[in-house]
């Protein structure tokens, strides 16, 4: 079976790191390009972090493109864990890969146009604010035709938001871009906090990563610990989410998930901009425009994630532990 061509648009970000490493460890996926966007942290730190992850995985060959430094319209906000900034040498002791000369928006456009008449069009994993994707989609209507689907990490449908009560960070950071993407007509799979909060990485899992998942797994465990993602008050149990890795896991192991179609609307003005509302029952006049992941098998997902990270050891073993 030929590998699925994908492009990852990302704002590393600890959970973005897990998603990128998972994709790079999975032969079922053909990672054609990585495009970076400001989000969790400012663009310069996003570029450094993305470049370090590609270096950690031993993949300087992956086309890597710098994208938008801020949102389309609203004021810029950063992630809750933005204090981590650029991953330091204590966390990721590798020299980052540098982005190429082509801007991310143009790289997305080129990837979509090149795959428009291919047997397998490109699938885009959107792990950050949707600024790059929105601009690419308005560049040329043909671009939408070259995209198989966009799998978006974002939204807080029935779950409380993580960055504000009404929204997850990605949708909050650029609600106008989100409205553009959800209104584009491109098939969308949505991975909301409602689902990513179901899979929490605990201290026991981190110990397993330290012991079993090689250099890449250990680096991820260090990153996860440094960002302190646990929130027992919110989740009612130990552990913290690894949002973006769920997007890649959905492509790899759809059997671990349940999903439902919905009409998704985006609030992009006023106090609750960034809020995504979902009509699963056809009670609004909104057209169905997304498949929404509703549940994930937590331990099976985490077991498979960790096993895949351990496969990267052959490339990442040169990482010296400081
Ligand atoms: O709300 C969670 C999302 O925002 C994740 O993609 C995280 O990395 C941040 O980008
Ligand atoms: Ca992200």
């Amino acid at each position: 079976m030929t590998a699925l061509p994908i492009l990852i648009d990302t704002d590393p970000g600890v959970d973005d790191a897990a998603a990128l490493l998972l994709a790079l460890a999975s032969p079922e996926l053909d990672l054609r390009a990585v495009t970076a966007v400001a989000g969790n942290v400012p663009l310069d730190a996003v570029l450094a972090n993305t470049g370090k992850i590609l270096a950690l995985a031993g993949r300087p060959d992956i086309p890597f493109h710098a994208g938008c430094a801020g949102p389309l319209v609203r004021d810029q906000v950063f992630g809750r864990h933005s204090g981590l900034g650029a991953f330091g040498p204590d966390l990721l002791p590798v020299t980052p890969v540098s982005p190429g000369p082509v801007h991310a928006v143009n790289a997305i456009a080129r990837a979509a146009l090149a795959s428009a008449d291919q047997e397998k069009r490109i699938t885009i994993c959107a792990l950050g604010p949707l600024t790059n994707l929105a601009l690419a989609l308005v560049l040329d209507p043909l671009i939408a035709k070259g995209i198989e689907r966009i799998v978006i990490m974002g939204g807080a449908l029935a779950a409380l938001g993580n960055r504000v009560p009404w929204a997850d960070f990605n949708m909050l950071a650029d609600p106008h871009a989100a409205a553009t993407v959800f209104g584009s007509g491109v098939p969308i799979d949505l991975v909301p906090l409602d689902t990513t909060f179901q899979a929490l990485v605990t201290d026991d899992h981190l110990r397993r990563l330290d012991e079993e998942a090689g250099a890449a797994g250990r680096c991820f465990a260090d990153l996860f610990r440094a960002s302190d993602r646990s929130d027992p008050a919110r989740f009612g149990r130990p552990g913290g989410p690894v949002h973006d890795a769920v997007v890649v896991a959905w492509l790899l192991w759809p059997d671990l998930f349940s999903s439902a179609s919905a009409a998704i609307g985006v609030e992009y003005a006023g106090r609750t901009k960034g809020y995504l509302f979902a009509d699963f029952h056809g009670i609004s006049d909104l057209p169905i425009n997304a498949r929404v992941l509703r549940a994930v098998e937590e331990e099976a997902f985490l077991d498979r994630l960790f096993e895949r990270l351990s496969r990267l050891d052959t490339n990442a073993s040169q990482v010296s532990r400081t």
Side-chain angles (χ1 to χ4, degrees):
M1 184 174 173
T2 55
L4 181 71
I6 69 169
L7 178 148
I8 294 181
D9 191 69
T10 185
D11 65 331
V14 170
D15 57 322
D16 302 72
L20 286 166
L21 293 172
L22 176 58
L24 289 166
S26 301
E28 304 91 329
L29 303 176
D30 173 12
L31 180 54
R32 297 283 178 84
V34 174
T35 54
V37 63
N40 277 303
V41 293
L43 183 63
D44 58 346
V46 161
L47 295 177
N49 293 343
T50 307
K52 281 198 164 189
I53 295 157
L54 291 173
L56 173 68
R59 296 301 305 275
D61 59 299
I62 299 283
F64 165 28
H65 306 274
C68 296
L72 297 181
V73 176
R74 65 154 294 153
D75 58 307
Q76 188 160 30
V77 291
F78 297 111
R80 271 184 59 204
H81 304 287
S82 58
L84 195 59
F87 302 152
D90 57 323
L91 292 172
L92 260 188
V94 291
T95 303
V97 173
S98 297
V102 176
H103 191 278
V105 173
N106 292 324
I108 293 167
R110 289 180 187 179
L113 292 171
S115 85
D117 58 356
Q118 301 297 307
E119 180 199 351
K120 283 191 177 182
R121 293 178 299 166
I122 197 111
T123 291
I124 294 179
C125 299
L127 310 183
L130 295 172
T131 319
N132 289 340
L133 287 179
L135 287 175
L137 286 167
V138 300
L139 270 181
D140 180 334
L142 282 177
I143 289 165
K145 299 188 187 313
I147 300 171
E148 180 69 26
R149 58 177 159 157
I150 304 173
V151 188
I152 297 171
M153 194 281 129
L157 303 180
L160 278 179
N162 54 359
R163 188 66 178 75
V164 291
W166 61 85
D168 98 284
F169 172 75
N170 286 340
M171 300 301 106
L172 177 77
D174 198 337
H176 298 83
T180 300
V181 173
F182 278 90
S184 68
V186 176
I188 289 171
D189 291 350
L190 180 66
V191 185
L193 294 182
D194 308 63
T195 305
T196 62
F197 280 163
Q198 295 174 25
L200 302 183
V201 176
T202 65
D203 289 344
D204 285 345
H205 290 132
L206 296 177
R207 278 189 287 277
R208 268 179 60 192
L209 282 163
D210 287 337
E211 292 155 13
E212 301 169 14
R218 283 195 302 275
C219 283
F220 171 67
D222 290 344
L223 288 173
F224 198 89
R225 277 183 281 258
S227 63
D228 184 22
R229 303 170 69 81
S230 65
D231 193 345
R234 167 191 280 270
F235 303 124
R237 60 190 174 108
V242 60
H243 307 289
D244 294 329
V246 179
V247 168
V248 178
W250 163 240
L251 295 181
L252 290 169
W253 311 303
D255 56 302
L256 299 184
F257 297 84
S258 65
S259 65
S261 298
I264 299 289
V266 181
E267 187 67 71
Y268 55 83
R271 185 81 179 84
T272 57
K273 54 181 173 288
Y275 171 57
L276 258 56
F277 48 93
D279 177 1
F280 288 97
H281 307 294
I283 56 175
S284 70
D285 57 353
L286 290 168
I288 289 181
N289 59 351
R291 175 170 49 179
V292 180
L293 298 198
R294 305 302 304 275
V296 59
E297 293 178 37
E298 179 182 37
E299 285 310 320
F301 156 61
L302 293 172
D303 285 346
R304 294 188 194 184
L305 168 63
F306 299 162
E307 190 280 328
R308 284 291 166 101
L309 292 183
S310 69
R311 296 190 189 184
L312 275 171
D313 199 3
T314 50
N315 294 321
S317 53
Q318 80 277 12
V319 171
S320 59
R321 305 295 300 159
T322 51

